[in-house]
Amino acid sequence: MRGVNYPYYFLAKALKGIKRHLFLNIVTVVIITFSMAIFGIFSLLFLYTKGVVDRWEERMGISAYLEEGIDRATLKALMDRIRAIDGVEGVRYISKEEAYRLFKRELSSLSDVVEDLDENPLPSSLEVRVRSGMEVEGVERIAREIGRLKGVEDVDFGGQWLKRLATILKLFRVSLVALSLFLFLTIVLIVSNTIRLTMFSRKDEIEIMELVGATERFIKMPFLIEGFLQGTIGAFTGALIVLGLHSAIFPKLGPFFMILSGNPSPRVPMAGLLLFMVLLGGALGIAGSSFAVKRFLEAA
Amino acid sequence: MIRLFRVSKRYPEGVTALHEVSLHIEKGEFAFLTGPSGAGKTTLLRLLFREERPTSGQIIIDGRNLIKLPRKEVPFFRRNIGLVFQDFKLIPHWTVYENVAFALEALGTPPREIRKRVLRVLGMVGLHGKMARKAAVLSGGEQQRVAIARALVKEPKILLADEPTGNLDNEMACRIMEIFEEINTRGTTIVMATHNYELVSRYGNRVIGLDRGRVVEATERVAEGT
């Protein structure tokens, strides 16, 4: 004999529970809102930093400075060997003369210094392009390999400082994960506590439900919905705060990003982040309430 | 309908609430479970609706062995059992109607069917006119009738009542007994725990006497007119 409109019935019971402990529920939702907003803001900061570092990584290349007087055959063999290295996309030879021209053009203010010299001090070199999106470690590995080849005097991949930055980014990622875990645990515990109080206030009702033959699922469902609503509403308002702050601050950061990465508006998956926050909030709410319900029913 | 084979219940603190109790209650019977406080009446009833499990022995109810009944089957087993307690166990801020209907909502009965059945049992216990009142404002006797209505609305095969008249005056106790008799004549098996010997002697039903966890007296139902 089926027929009760269960979703409606459970939702009505859940809303009744929220209404009965309205203040407590508001406090819970506010805490979830701020926790999720903090999570969202830090995730955004991380995504932007990662965007900048990725762009730098994309433009990373290797300069292999050649020994003086390298002959044509050695040079050709060297270029072929470099091309054969996994991750190398292309190699370009820059002669001493071209290096001199480039130096004068790019650093015109210093050209006088070079002109005062008797001979061209710049070495010939090979500009090595690596596969785009390769991480600093990969580029460094290729640079070391090139450095060991015959005819190569020195190698520079301009990424020592980028490596440091990547380490900082990794540290940022670890901190973000730790902070997130802390915030998520807070949310689970606060939802769990609120639901436990609601359950205590409806202790008699739950006891009677058990006595008349209600299944555990039937008893649990309104409380799970209550936790889900707390989590989702809290996360939704948290997402709105993140969106509001982003809209207010981001447009002013264009020049800053331009200097950092040559792109005034790096793209971050904003919609994805906000949707993730809301879904995560709901999931954490269910987790918190499941925890409370399980403990309560086991103790009963 | 109800069979117990050498059922014992010992609690971890070392208290033996029941000691090797064997019983057989037929379908449609109305049996009194009597004995002083602490005799084991409530424990026996709690074993019968699977609120607790015995330490040893077997309990067969309506063909189901309660010892082997998995936890998730318990709600479905209880749907065939109506329960009435001395303290009524009503939700005081709910109306009479809500308290009774709740037992069917929890089982997923369609709303139209709920309404029909709730009105019928409220008529049976004489509370038709008070269904919109909050349970808290009713007298003790009326509250117990609401509890009985809630137990009956599921149309159970067995009704277990633990001191249902314990909190009521004599007149109200008689009214409750009349309702029980009526339910019993419709085929419901009833086991009622009580220490009200006057009530027991007045109705002449089968008596199962318990003392310190053992069956000390077991009489058959006194035939009509004797």
Side-chain angles (χ1 to χ4, degrees):
Chain A
M1 197 187 291
R2 297 274 145 192
V4 167
N5 185 348
Y6 276 118
Y8 173 77
Y9 182 85
F10 291 142
L11 187 66
K13 286 265 172 193
L15 291 175
K16 219 170 174 181
I18 290 175
K19 209 173 131 194
R20 192 177 297 175
H21 296 285
L22 192 60
F23 180 71
L24 192 66
N25 272 276
I26 289 173
V27 171
T28 306
V29 167
V30 168
I31 291 172
I32 297 172
T33 298
F34 282 109
S35 301
M36 288 310 276
I38 293 169
F39 165 74
I41 290 164
F42 275 87
S43 298
L44 259 183
L45 281 175
F46 174 77
L47 288 172
Y48 274 120
T49 314
K50 192 175 180 308
V52 169
V53 173
D54 283 352
R55 207 168 153 83
W56 282 336
E57 279 183 347
E58 265 170 35
R59 295 190 301 180
M60 240 189 310
I62 300 167
S63 298
Y65 300 105
L66 303 174
E67 286 170 357
E68 276 288 331
I70 188 166
D71 61 69
R72 203 169 267 275
T74 315
L75 178 65
K76 188 177 179 308
L78 180 64
M79 286 176 76
D80 286 344
R81 284 202 63 182
I82 293 174
R83 275 194 197 99
I85 296 172
D86 182 37
V88 171
E89 295 255 290
V91 183
R92 195 168 80 90
Y93 173 67
I94 294 172
S95 65
K96 279 173 76 77
E97 293 71 31
E98 195 180 349
Y100 185 67
R101 271 201 309 277
L102 282 170
F103 184 81
K104 279 218 298 187
R105 197 178 70 202
E106 286 179 14
L107 299 160
S108 51
S109 59
L110 288 172
S111 61
D112 294 348
V113 180
V114 184
E115 270 167 7
D116 285 349
L117 296 166
D118 295 340
E119 58 178 282
N120 174 7
L122 300 174
S124 57
S125 65
L126 293 174
E127 287 300 313
V128 181
R129 246 184 322 113
V130 295
R131 198 192 303 133
S132 94
M134 184 178 274
E135 292 204 346
V136 183
E137 287 82 1
V139 183
E140 192 186 18
R141 179 183 54 77
I142 296 171
R144 267 207 306 270
E145 205 171 319
I146 294 172
R148 283 196 293 267
L149 296 175
K150 193 171 167 252
V152 177
E153 172 107 38
D154 194 13
V155 184
D156 177 18
F157 73 102
Q160 271 84 356
W161 60 275
L162 198 55
K163 199 178 159 194
R164 248 172 269 142
L165 201 71
T167 312
I168 292 170
L169 190 69
K170 254 182 209 162
L171 210 71
F172 190 179
R173 183 180 292 163
V174 172
S175 314
L176 179 66
V177 169
L179 176 76
S180 307
L181 287 178
F182 172 74
L183 292 172
F184 298 161
L185 191 71
T186 308
I187 292 174
V188 169
L189 287 180
I190 186 102
V191 171
S192 160
N193 251 352
T194 312
I195 298 295
R196 226 156 71 99
L197 279 172
T198 311
M199 290 189 88
F200 266 114
S201 72
R202 285 163 64 184
K203 201 165 150 263
D204 295 342
E205 207 178 308
I206 292 169
E207 188 194 351
I208 294 164
M209 278 199 247
E210 285 177 334
L211 292 177
V212 298
T215 57
E216 213 169 281
R217 190 181 140 264
F218 183 90
I219 298 170
K220 277 156 109 173
M221 208 48 94
F223 300 108
L224 296 187
I225 291 175
E226 196 175 323
F228 171 75
L229 288 176
Q230 288 169 357
T232 308
I233 295 168
F236 182 75
T237 41
L240 285 182
I241 290 177
V242 172
L243 185 67
L245 282 175
H246 184 258
S247 311
I249 296 170
F250 182 72
K252 293 177 186 146
L253 295 178
F256 175 69
F257 284 118
M258 188 65 201
I259 294 165
L260 278 179
S261 65
N263 178 5
S265 55
R267 288 178 60 167
V268 293
M270 192 64 189
L273 174 69
L274 298 179
L275 183 67
F276 176 70
M277 282 172 68
V278 176
L279 294 177
L280 185 69
L284 291 173
I286 291 179
S289 48
S290 304
F291 182 60
V293 168
K294 194 167 178 282
R295 271 185 34 183
F296 189 91
L297 292 180
E298 271 171 10
Chain B
M1 183 58 98
I2 300 171
R3 281 177 189 271
L4 280 80
F5 300 102
R6 304 180 71 180
V7 171
S8 295
K9 178 69 187 176
R10 280 182 293 278
Y11 290 102
E13 316 84 73
V15 179
T16 301
L18 289 174
H19 184 77
E20 301 221 327
V21 173
S22 293
L23 277 178
H24 181 200
I25 297 168
E26 295 281 357
K27 190 176 177 191
E29 246 190 292
F30 186 160
F32 283 121
L33 206 54
T34 65
S37 291
K41 304 186 295 291
T42 298
T43 303
L44 183 57
L45 287 182
R46 287 169 72 85
L47 293 178
L48 295 183
F49 64 89
R50 186 51 160 72
E51 183 68 1
E52 290 185 39
R53 296 173 84 147
T55 314
S56 62
Q58 301 292 325
I59 302 174
I60 316 283
I61 294 182
D62 198 21
R64 296 172 100 158
N65 188 337
L66 294 202
I67 314 305
K68 292 177 185 163
L69 193 71
R71 195 181 135 93
K72 60 177 189 191
E73 287 291 316
V74 172
F76 301 99
F77 162 73
R78 285 190 182 158
R79 292 177 185 193
N80 284 320
I81 295 187
L83 297 166
V84 180
F85 300 93
Q86 183 174 1
D87 58 357
F88 322 133
K89 291 199 191 297
L90 299 176
I91 310 285
H93 55 272
W94 285 10
T95 64
V96 168
Y97 181 90
E98 285 169 335
N99 266 289
V100 179
F102 182 55
L104 291 179
E105 283 169 3
L107 309 187
T109 312
R112 193 176 292 177
E113 178 74 14
I114 292 177
R115 191 168 169 75
K116 201 171 87 187
R117 276 161 70 173
V118 172
L119 293 180
R120 192 171 66 218
V121 287
L122 284 179
M124 226 171 115
V125 297
L127 283 173
H128 208 285
K130 293 188 175 175
M131 65 179 176
R133 299 243 182 118
K134 301 266 186 215
V137 303
L138 301 179
S139 71
E142 285 170 333
Q143 289 194 42
Q144 192 58 295
R145 273 145 62 197
V146 178
I148 293 169
R150 186 184 60 200
L152 294 182
V153 79
K154 295 189 299 174
E155 297 171 356
K157 292 181 182 171
I158 300 169
L159 184 80
L160 303 177
D162 191 6
E163 304 277 5
T165 57
N167 282 342
L168 309 178
D169 59 36
N170 257 343
E171 192 187 336
M172 229 356 112
C174 287
R175 175 80 186 101
I176 297 298
M177 286 308 296
E178 277 167 25
I179 296 170
F180 279 0
E181 289 269 280
E182 192 188 331
I183 300 161
N184 181 236
T185 54
R186 293 178 189 207
T188 306
T189 308
I190 300 178
V191 181
M192 173 176 153
T194 181
H195 59 255
N196 186 340
Y197 294 101
E198 194 194 322
L199 204 72
V200 173
S201 58
R202 195 185 306 162
Y203 285 88
N205 291 350
R206 178 179 172 191
V207 176
I208 299 159
L210 284 174
D211 191 18
R212 277 172 267 174
R214 292 168 195 267
V215 177
V216 292
E217 179 192 4
T219 66
E220 293 305 314
R221 186 187 171 101
V222 178
E224 294 284 331
T226 57

